[in-house]
Amino acid sequence: SMQLKSFIEVEVVGKDDDLLEIKVIACNGRYLGTTQVYDNRDSLRNFVQQLIDFPKSIDHIIYYEAGKRAGYSFLALKFYCTDSAGHAAVKVEMEENTAMQSGTEQDMIRLEFHFEPNDLIAFQKEFKKIITEGEGQATLNGIEKYTYNRT
């Protein structure tokens, strides 16, 4: 079977004054999903600012969402620690709803993966840059599944 990588890729695909349209692709090595959501720069900046120095404690959680559940599209990202050693993971929820002649076609996915602190730092910097510039992409690379064979 194909071994996919774990990652989140965020790309700015449109901008209108303070509003950015972002396309997000996420994969945890097994599931892969994508959605496009709109958010304003302040909301995005606030989220990205919170990623600095994560995790501050083992119960530190960062939650971000854009769009609306059962709406046109939805994205939720939850950064949290998985154990007392401070290993960190991100949980991704995505939805995209397309109006079809026969009604609404709804796609949904939930996945999560672990990542290294250094990769979050790189993602935070890239993400901040694309918000400011209104273009480009930012990627958070995850730890590959097979290095995490704890059951």
Side-chain angles (χ1 to χ4, degrees), residues 35-93:
T35 192
Q36 285 185 207
V37 291
Y38 291 90
D39 201 358
N40 65 63
R41 289 186 204 226
D42 282 346
S43 169
L44 285 161
R45 271 196 206 99
N46 178 46
F47 159 58
V48 169
Q49 188 64 27
Q50 289 181 59
L51 295 176
I52 296 171
D53 297 333
F54 173 84
K56 292 186 172 78
S57 64
I58 57 167
D59 54 3
H60 185 190
I61 291 171
I62 295 170
Y63 186 76
Y64 168 79
E65 68 175 50
K68 190 162 119 258
R69 281 182 206 274
Y72 164 69
S73 61
F74 175 75
L75 170 70
L77 301 175
K78 180 186 175 185
F79 291 80
Y80 67 103
C81 289
T82 58
D83 58 26
S84 58
H87 290 118
V90 58
K91 191 172 282 190
V92 183
E93 278 188 81

Side-chain angles (χ1 to χ4, degrees), residues 7 11 14 18 25 40-41 45 51-52 54 62 67 69 72 86 89 93 101 103-104 111 119 125 137 141 143 148:
F7 69 89
E11 183 182 5
D18 195 42
I25 302 170
N40 65 63
R41 289 186 204 226
R45 271 196 206 99
L51 295 176
I52 296 171
F54 173 84
I62 295 170
R69 281 182 206 274
Y72 164 69
E93 278 188 81
Q101 280 178 325
T104 304
L111 59 88
D119 288 321
K125 286 179 177 161
Q137 62 184 47
N141 289 304
I143 295 169
Y148 245 87

Side-chain angles (χ1 to χ4, degrees), residues 9-25:
E9 183 184 282
V10 180
E11 183 182 5
V12 177
V13 291
K15 57 181 172 180
D16 181 23
D17 293 330
D18 195 42
L19 215 56
L20 293 182
E21 182 178 9
I22 58 172
K23 178 183 178 182
V24 183
I25 302 170

